[in-house]
Amino acid sequence: MMVLFFLKLTYLTVGVCNVSAPQPLFPVPTPQQLMWHRLEMGMFCHFGINTFHNEEWTDGSKLPETFSPTDFNPLQWAEVAKKVGMGYLIFTVKHHDGFVLYPTQHTDYCVRNAPWKEGKGDAVKEVADACRKVGIKFGFYLSPWDRHDSRYNDNKAYDEYFKNLLRELLTNYGEILEVWFDGAGTKGHVYDWEGYYGLIKQIQPNALIAICGPDIRWVGNEDGLAPESVWYVQERDGKKVWWPPECDVPIRMGQWFYHTDGENRLLSLNSLLRIYYNSVGRGAVLLLNVSPDRSGHLPEPDVKRLFEWRSVIEETFKENLALSAKWSSSNTRGDCLEFSPENCRIENDDKFWTTDDGMGTSYVTLTFDKPVTFDRVVIKEHIALGQRVTKHSIWVKRGKNWERLLESTTVGYKRIHLLPSTKSREVRVQIDESLDVPVIEFIGVYLSSPKDLKINKINK
Ligand code: FUL
């Protein structure tokens, strides 16, 4: 009796599964890249000497005396970032003007010579500490282009200087999520990129190098928009590598730094929602810039807009209708519980639905007791095993027939589809084409907030 009971328990919990999970489809993300994908959004904070001159790019001639925040408060930035769902913050340590925001040993053009905190301030430390305090990751932007430093005309001397800055930044400020190398202004200059990368990987092997770097790529525009199909696998130096895109965009149109007269450029709620759906909703990561003002605070109207935006997103995604559905699939790998479509009910990074090899078109069907009304479908691929889906579609049952609502391409870490408001008892997510067996981690169905974007507005 005991033996029988034990066997039954084993069967139910572990299942009698004699097939293994699909092999990874290489290249796959590194653990750090995977962790970064899961952050989904970060806040960019451009702050520096430009902030005090109403200029985007000062030329390196502004005096350190002009850097004078009256109430530098990065804790406010980090708290806002955390509350609106950002997993990290990137701070501009040195922009193209060359002014350095911590007391470096390697140039006089830095906060040590500013009146701020009588030259004893260290903005980088304050920002890094604030991020740690609220529980978000910290990264820094360091402009290779330098319009102030005379060593810039001597490649070797400048490389040495730049590496010294990197050394200090990677040694004195705790764990660094991301190092952001801007490509602007660098054309024609020869940098020791490999030397920079080597140094970063030596001091902080887990730091991700972005934009001019091997771990994260620039999406290619400053509008916060990813293309319809987002591919993580790219060719870099003749090799296929995992190189996912980050979408950077300022919350005030065209202004990365604070300008005293820039409030009228603040993006509308709809623009921000469009950015969200066209970046995070297409499987990219969003890096939204909010610039602190001359006091050292994020401006109130910007913060208010961010909270409005967040509350709409939260309202849209608060109730996953799929939780009440019955789940079935065209095929489940080895008929194993371990690979069942039910694994996609909740966002769980380790469990997924997958099929036997060579099945071709495959689908998951959600059947509800009563018809449900929805206009959002979220799908997540289990990208730890590689990006696979190239074509997918969403269907609903009308009477006896299945009607296709939408046809699309990549899924990736996360895909959010906006659909016309639709009522049905059966919803199907179909994987039409995939580079190898599909591995799907999550499927969610929602009805959006009345304040959220509707399908006809997404691309306008
Ligand atoms: C650009 C820079 O020139 C802008 O000033 C800003 O820093 C943006 C993020 O990158 O290339």
Side-chain angles (χ1 to χ4, degrees):
M1 185 65 189
M2 263 312 262
V3 173
L4 270 180
F5 178 71
F6 179 72
L7 276 180
K8 183 144 180 40
L9 207 69
T10 314
Y11 178 74
L12 280 178
T13 53
V14 182
V16 186
C17 187
N18 48 21
V19 289
S20 48
Q23 290 299 306
L25 181 68
F26 290 104
V28 298
T30 63
Q32 287 72 35
Q33 285 173 318
L34 192 55
M35 180 266 279
W36 176 84
H37 276 284
R38 290 177 181 151
L39 299 176
E40 294 191 5
M41 297 197 285
M43 188 184 278
F44 217 170
C45 287
H46 274 64
F47 185 74
I49 210 149
N50 296 337
T51 309
F52 301 88
H53 298 276
N54 273 353
E55 279 183 47
E56 283 294 296
W57 288 4
T58 56
D59 63 3
S61 67
K62 301 294 181 212
L63 297 176
E65 285 82 338
T66 58
F67 179 84
S68 53
T70 49
D71 183 23
F72 187 66
N73 189 352
L75 193 57
Q76 182 235 4
W77 322 350
E79 275 167 352
V80 170
K82 173 88 180 177
K83 282 189 191 145
V84 300
M86 310 284 189
Y88 66 106
L89 190 152
I90 306 277
F91 180 51
T92 50
V93 167
K94 168 176 97 91
H95 205 253
H96 310 323
D97 50 77
F99 187 74
V100 179
L101 296 192
Y102 70 94
T104 172
Q105 295 306 306
H106 304 282
T107 178
D108 289 335
Y109 198 49
C110 72
V111 284
R112 197 170 359 89
N113 290 309
W116 179 59
K117 301 200 167 170
E118 291 163 356
K120 299 204 171 56
D122 183 337
V124 179
K125 180 166 188 330
E126 289 195 37
V127 179
D129 287 350
C131 291
R132 229 148 270 142
K133 188 161 179 196
V134 307
I136 59 173
K137 308 261 177 206
F138 170 71
F140 61 82
Y141 165 113
L142 192 69
S143 169
W145 184 29
D146 196 309
R147 307 177 82 189
H148 173 87
D149 203 278
S150 56
R151 287 166 285 195
Y152 194 67
N153 300 320
D154 174 343
N155 292 352
K156 228 172 139 220
Y158 184 74
D159 282 336
E160 208 37 53
Y161 168 53
F162 200 76
K163 284 184 210 166
N164 281 332
L165 293 179
L166 282 173
R167 217 169 267 124
E168 287 174 328
L169 286 161
L170 294 159
T171 310
N172 300 332
Y173 300 99
E175 199 192 316
I176 303 297
L177 172 79
E178 181 174 332
V179 178
W180 218 93
F181 286 145
D182 193 341
T186 63
K187 219 169 165 198
H189 188 103
V190 179
Y191 299 92
D192 179 15
W193 289 115
E194 291 307 319
Y196 303 168
Y197 304 157
L199 186 67
I200 296 170
K201 297 291 171 189
Q202 179 200 328
I203 308 178
Q204 293 221 21
N206 289 341
L208 295 163
I209 312 172
I211 315 308
C212 296
D215 303 314
I216 297 166
R217 75 188 146 94
W218 184 45
V219 76
N221 63 68
E222 293 186 333
D223 307 319
L225 309 177
E228 157 76 22
S229 306
V230 168
W231 286 108
Y232 305 132
V233 175
Q234 300 282 313
E235 205 145 293
R236 195 168 190 275
D237 301 334
K239 269 199 300 200
K240 283 199 165 164
V241 292
W242 192 270
W243 201 25
E246 185 178 55
C247 302
D248 60 323
V249 55
I251 197 168
R252 294 185 177 199
M253 202 187 283
Q255 295 184 340
W256 295 93
F257 284 90
Y258 175 79
H259 294 245
T260 44
D261 58 356
E263 200 183 311
N264 58 354
R265 290 170 174 257
L266 188 57
L267 296 185
S268 66
L269 175 61
N270 274 358
S271 299
L272 281 179
L273 289 165
R274 196 172 304 123
I275 285 171
Y276 177 76
Y277 286 117
N278 285 329
S279 56
V280 176
R282 287 177 165 174
V285 168
L286 172 62
L287 181 61
L288 178 62
N289 187 80
V290 191
S291 20
D293 62 17
R294 289 181 179 179
S295 73
H297 285 244
L298 299 184
E300 241 180 75
D302 306 44
V303 172
K304 202 169 151 239
R305 182 60 41 83
L306 283 169
F307 285 143
E308 275 170 13
W309 173 64
R310 182 66 192 176
S311 76
V312 172
I313 294 172
E314 273 174 7
E315 204 181 313
T316 288
F317 295 102
K318 76 170 183 278
E319 194 195 347
N320 181 4
L321 303 166
L323 287 176
S324 67
K326 282 197 198 69
W327 293 63
S328 57
S329 59
S330 54
N331 172 276
T332 294
R333 194 172 183 81
D335 277 332
C336 300
L337 263 182
E338 202 177 325
F339 305 126
S340 121
E342 291 255 2
N343 288 337
C344 299
R345 285 179 88 226
I346 47 165
E347 296 198 55
N348 181 324
D349 299 336
D350 306 321
K351 292 187 172 174
F352 45 81
W353 162 67
T354 186
T355 66
D356 289 314
D357 293 340
M359 294 311 294
T361 297
S362 306
Y363 51 80
V364 170
T365 307
L366 304 176
T367 309
F368 297 89
D369 285 344
K370 290 193 294 251
V372 291
T373 304
F374 67 98
D375 61 2
R376 296 284 185 276
V377 171
V378 176
I379 314 170
K380 290 172 82 171
E381 243 182 293
H382 186 66
I383 57 168
L385 293 179
Q387 187 177 13
R388 294 155 181 259
V389 177
T390 54
K391 228 174 127 192
H392 67 286
S393 49
I394 296 172
W395 302 69
V396 286
K397 194 132 181 218
R398 302 257 187 241
K400 286 199 170 116
N401 300 322
W402 284 96
E403 180 190 315
R404 190 172 63 206
L405 285 183
L406 169 139
E407 217 182 354
S408 184
T409 55
T410 50
V411 173
Y413 169 73
K414 185 177 208 170
R415 185 83 203 217
I416 310 177
H417 286 302
L418 276 71
L419 300 152
S421 176
T422 303
K423 194 170 178 182
S424 178
R425 256 197 75 222
E426 285 183 76
V427 182
R428 183 171 276 179
V429 170
Q430 180 161 302
I431 309 303
D432 299 289
E433 281 172 23
S434 186
L435 298 175
D436 205 330
V437 279
V439 186
I440 305 295
E441 194 173 285
F442 176 74
I443 295 173
V445 175
Y446 308 84
L447 180 62
S448 67
S449 152
K451 291 189 200 130
D452 203 344
L453 278 189
K454 301 305 160 198
I455 178 75
N456 54 342
K457 292 245 181 99
I458 180 72
N459 290 319
K460 290 202 192 113

